[in-house]
Amino acid sequence: MSMQFSEDGVGSKPTKRLRWATQRVTGQSGRRKRHSIMDRFHKGPGPNEKERDSGGVTQGELDAAQVQGDEETKDDESEQGGSQRRIFFNIPLPDDAKDSDGHPIQDFGKNKIRTAKYTPLSFIPKNLWFQFHNIANIYFLFVIILTIFPIFGASNPALGAVPLIFILFVTAVKDAIEDYRRTVLDNELNNSPVHRLVGWNNVNATEDNVSLWRRIKKATSRGIRLLVTAWKGRKERTNKGHRESASDEPRQSTETRATERNSMFSIYSPRASLHVSHGHPDDEAIQMTPVPSPVPGKERSGASSLGVPDRPQAMVSYEESNQGSASASRKERRQSKQMPSRFYGSLIDVTGQASGGARFRKDYWKSVQVGDFVRIYNEDQIPADVVILSTSDPDGACYVETKNLDGETNLKVRQALHSGRGVKHARDCEMTSFYIESEHPHANLYQYSAVAKWTQKDPGRPEDPDKDMAEPISINNLLLRGCSLRNTEWVLGVVVFTGEETKIMLNSGITPSKRSRISRELNWNVIYNFIILLFMCLVSGIVQGVTWSQSHNSLNFFEFGSVGGKPSLDGFITFWSAVILFQNLVPISLYISLEIIKTAQAFFIYSDTFMYYEKIDYPCTPKSWNISDDLGQIEYIFSDKTGTLTQNVMEFKKCTINGTPYGEAYTEAQAGMQRRLGVNIEEEGAKARAQIAQDGVKMLQDLRTIHQNPYLHDDELTFVAPDFVSDLRGESGEAQRKANEHFMLALALCHTVITERIPGDPPKIVFKAQSPDEAALVATARDCGFTALGRSNDGIILNVMGVEKEYKILNTLEFNSSRKRMSAIIQMPEDGRIVLFCKGADSVIYSRLKRGEQPELRRVTAEHLEMFAREGLRTLCIAQREISEEEYQAWNKKHELAAGALQDREEKLEAVSDSIERELTLLGGTAIEDRLQDGVPETIALLGDAGIKLWVLTGDKVETAINIGFSCNLLDNNMDLIVFKIDDETLESAATELDRHLDTFGITGSEEELKLARKNHEPPNPTHAIVIDGDSLKLVLDDELRQKFLLLCKQCKSVLCCRVSPSQKAAVVQMVKTGLDVMTLSVGDGANDVAMIQEADVGVGIAGEEGRQAVMSSDYAIAQFRYLQRLVLVHGRWSYRRLGETIANFFYKNIVWTFALFWYQLYNSFDGSYLFDYTYILLYNLAFTSLPIILMGVLDQDVSDKVSLAVPQLYRRGIERKEWTQVKFWVYMFDATYQSIICFFMAYLLFAPASSSSHSGQSVDDRERMGVYVGCATIVVVNLYVLINTYRWDWLMLLIVAISILLIWFWTGVYSAFKSSDQFYKAAPQVFGQPTFWAMSFLTVVLCLLPRFTAKAVQKIYFPLDVDIIRERVRQGEFKYLDDPAANVPSHKISSAASSEITQPARPHRIMNVPDDERPIYPPSIAPTTTTHGNSRSQAGSDGTDYTRHHPSRSIDRQTRPSFDRARPSFDRMRSSMDKCRPSFEASNDFTSAALLARIESSHSYGARRAKETTGSPR
């Protein structure tokens, strides 16, 4: 089959989309990028190619590039120590890919995933193995083994194993439930259906030799699964049977259905499938013929014919629609400029023959293998990492949702290979002949490099030689396992990675496990108990051995010889008998009790309705259940700004075009500045909002007089600027009108958004972008009459003031964190000019402006951008460059070479892109508001009152961060801002600056000062705050300066780190955590916050309305920052205090019991005999004393949640870590020792004078009856002691304590009623019938608890803690006002004034949370701040918003601006208000970002001079 491309054919020049490692596709124009170097000129030259180069490379260049690529590949392979993965399709394996038996050398992994730890056969041994990694379990197992031997004196070994068996059983049940859930999910995933090609030979797959053991395990698993299914009922059996049936029934054909594409409409040129020439549709079980998407909307000219439902087969291009003579003339001019289409080749070997046996069959995911062809349908999940060959869209586009990978719900575009778009049926798959060279599996979700290679044959010209062709494969062409297909009927692809080698599996399990601080310290206390136990056992063994070695003792007359036969052996046996006797000293039940307590605490946190965000239906979700007590010890909180303190809802507010500022806004930063001046912000805010609302009405009226924009909705307008509309009408001259139009055109063209059309009257156009900034820019262009309607084959269709135009996108160079800019190369439809539009950070754009041009415009625009930043707005610059066709063609060759590189592709693309983004012409700048979340200022103030220090680590510029700091109460007008900026970026300069600032506080940064700082947890005086940028932070984090910087920050109330990278965020957290030995908490919402979230002791993720990146790696997930106050100040404080008291009481009760046994040994020569019945010893921790102490850890409250928030200072006791200390541990230990003495010796003194008997004459002075006296009194004392230490005496606590006390008497009565109790038989009636028992029990309880009671009374009366005073005030009714429902409004009801609420009640579009490092529109440049650079104390009232030069608003090369209703424009009014805010520090120091930008030379322009020139003169 020959393929000809006529001169008249409309060229479908592909759009090259530059894809970066941190970027995802969001536009359809990204479908054709990184084209093959090798297939450029494989067809004969077309008629036009002599007149106009098609943008390709010569064969010589191609060969040179290929040689270079081969050399690079060899070098990389030698470094990696292995060759690349090769996957063959319908090609026999070459010899170097086979072993001696002819089997493939490469053994690809299975697609079956198993995240569960256990199988039915391995659960018991494996679970026991894991549980006995706990040293306490090993200890008690050893004790049980000892009890088996009668020589050690244990009477009932089976009963002795009950506690350990119970704990192991409970833990095993918990593990089994968790693992069962994982197993169910694994089975559901592995047995998910997928349509896989069968009936053909996959040469990459090897036979699966299942061993006998695996067959046994599989049979066991199936048997248990069948039993579970039968138990669940017939309905589930039926469903499961249906699910497991591998149905071969053909799926309904999509041949007569239009492809549903809700996200954008497709317009394309006629294109014939290769299948039409040679295929036989009737032979295929599942027929799919690509059909055009219906073009929604009737307002588009010439689109009516496309919308007819009974003509889905029509394939009409946009150019062929009836647009009238004007459109036709534009089309002719455009076609005259078009380049001929290139031939991409086809993976189908048209000379081959299909067997006809291949067909797509429904199969399981677990059956998929590397090299398989799979067909995926709309709404299906992707079963493995799949390279796309073809889709239902003729342009080869498909849409995926990556929520399971990165938490984002916005759709991304993926593209099919150009050479594979003819592969649509099973017959086509069987006739393909190619192989893929792929890189090895790695975890980077945003990078993939491979190449498809094949031999191109032309049956129409059999005399022509075969041509070797190749096409690069990137992440654009890869569907990752776990993604979901959306808005696309079907996708056909080949599998390259399966199972554990897929990217989602390589990224799983990265969250580090964390242990709470108390848990870490608890190990030492357990070791202390082990040492005490060892001492007690040694004493017992030594005394017993010495006693038997002495003669003339009474035991010689009563004992028939020793057990061991000699003193040394007797001592050895007694030692191990004592281990059994005193086993309760090591609290085995402590660990399981703490698990129960922490689980309950996590449940209460999850159930707290005051932390439930109804808007997105999200409660506070604990992900790590074992660190709740750490929440009560937090001293430092590290917070991101964008999306954490702010809403990540971007609203376009202001702009500057051609030197003219536009826009009205009353931002929260303005309100913060006015608040500092003592202005009534409610009154001023109301006036401003009224004025802006009035201006908004006027702007809407004026816009509609220019053009009846059907896509303009009143409630969505955020850019309020009537003067902009006036200038758009030409009232300020033609130059300004054209400048405004061109500026909005740039916003409408330079982006990667997906257009989504919502039907209605009028219709609605919304934009899905990977950054909310970008969506805000495109939405504002839409509101002003420049609406992006969607994308065509190789361009974008705009509605420009009522006229539809198609702009051809030649290349899109997208944003990444290092570039901080994005560009679009556009061919204009009017005259065919090639224009590069670029937007990005101001420093980046200014450095690329054309040297020596626009000096005044550059200076004025810089002033405007700085003023916008002072208002708390995010700014960026817009620029452009016209490119000649010759320059573009030369550059495009380099771009093609870089796109086709298999090694270092990203670096080469970045270098090529940088070469074209130079010699720019400045158009203007934009300002976007990211509003604070509700309740942020109140929360920060509350946390500050609690003694918690909040640091903000953000990627925003200094001025923006400072103003947000003021608006959210992080900074105030009385603080001196220490702005740390090292100009020469040397360690010596940084050290000098640090020493100078340290001298302000009278410190030097020594080791002694660091030791004192670790002990001092008092919040610093609110006199200073530090602001530092990323470059300076890199210097001070050096090992030589880190300590000094840490001590300087310790003296400051607030710290703002601006322009920091994710790794720097983590480094700052690590510096504070280890340097000051404090508890830290990090809170963020994006992927760039994951590093610091994992580094901190507690990580909190903000679950935004779209993104969930940070939540995946966090310990706690909340929906709003304001919920942090309740999580920390209420639940955190409660949990820490409860755990501290619970653990201390646990150790106390074990000491009391064990030492009572020890004192008894003094009177029996330490022979290891039991004072208590053995059941007492076993049930003491399990039943008699466990419930009250667990209830204390779960429900105890010193004050209510309302009081905890009303008096946040109560939290400071947790910061100082006073609820659990080693001193407290030893105090409880000594108190327990005293009480054990009372408990034993009260009974001893009762029985010592004479023998005792019951009223019936039966003796009650034997060992076991005496044990009832001691044991019952001890258990009563312990439970009452726990009650005394409990703050909240409610009915439940009193009931549990009473039940626990009564249980010992109940058990004694029941157990002693049976003769099987041996010597304990009838002990209850005999002892309980003695008045001495009750009298002694009462006196024992009083004497034991009297010291504790007295100490508590003295402490609370004469040395009260803060909580004691607050509790007394609560009882006096001083906090009754908190019971008023109005005073208990959940924090999410708090709202903050925002300018966005002025013009519209409806919420703006919520776009996904994107990390600052991945925003296409990045906050502006790294600029010196506007405050005290170079001096330690700025002038009083410094707020970082001063201004350098004060000029009235001006325009460049335009007519005088007419006056409006207001006295002057908003820009001058805002600048005037800022002049009053504080004196002009920078007037003499010139450190504003405007001054910096005015001095920036275009260092990236051609021929840029590196020598420093005179500062201050604009260039």
Side-chain angles (χ1 to χ4, degrees), residues 437-510:
E437 285 187 356
S438 168
E439 64 183 357
H440 289 288
H442 59 76
N444 192 327
L445 292 173
Y446 310 121
Q447 265 190 341
Y448 178 67
S449 295
V451 62
K453 296 183 178 181
W454 71 98
T455 300
Q456 186 66 46
K457 301 178 181 179
D458 190 347
R461 297 179 181 177
E463 69 280 359
D464 291 351
D466 296 342
K467 299 174 183 179
D468 292 333
M469 302 189 70
E471 181 174 358
I473 303 172
S474 70
I475 194 66
N476 260 356
N477 314 115
L478 191 67
L479 295 179
L480 301 182
R481 178 186 174 116
C483 298
S484 298
L485 191 65
R486 296 284 187 265
N487 298 343
T488 307
E489 274 300 312
W490 54 266
V491 164
L492 194 150
V494 291
V495 177
V496 290
F497 298 121
T498 54
E500 301 295 337
E501 293 180 337
T502 56
K503 290 185 180 291
I504 189 174
M505 296 305 299
L506 292 174
N507 278 277
S508 61
I510 59 176

Side-chain angles (χ1 to χ4, degrees), residues 573-643:
I573 295 173
T574 303
F575 176 87
W576 296 112
S577 299
V579 171
I580 300 173
L581 180 64
F582 305 135
Q583 60 180 286
N584 282 329
L585 190 62
V586 179
I588 183 175
S589 57
L590 172 61
Y591 295 98
I592 191 67
S593 298
L594 292 182
E595 288 293 327
I596 295 172
I597 291 170
K598 291 183 177 182
T599 300
Q601 290 173 349
F603 174 75
F604 290 143
I605 291 174
Y606 178 79
S607 304
D608 191 340
T609 57
F610 289 102
M611 292 192 292
Y612 171 72
Y613 193 44
E614 185 176 2
K615 195 172 189 178
I616 60 173
D617 188 26
Y618 202 89
C620 178
T621 305
K623 294 178 172 291
S624 297
W625 291 12
N626 59 340
I627 60 172
S628 57
D629 48 294
D630 280 351
L631 287 170
Q633 307 169 69
I634 301 299
E635 185 170 354
Y636 283 85
I637 292 179
F638 301 90
S639 174
D640 180 38
K641 184 186 78 68
T642 304

Side-chain angles (χ1 to χ4, degrees), residues 14 41 132 308 672 754 813 956 1047 1142 1228 1380 1402 1405:
F41 288 132
F132 280 108
V308 180
I754 295 177
L813 315 179
D956 277 344
L1047 289 173
T1142 296
Y1228 274 71
D1380 183 2
H1405 310 308

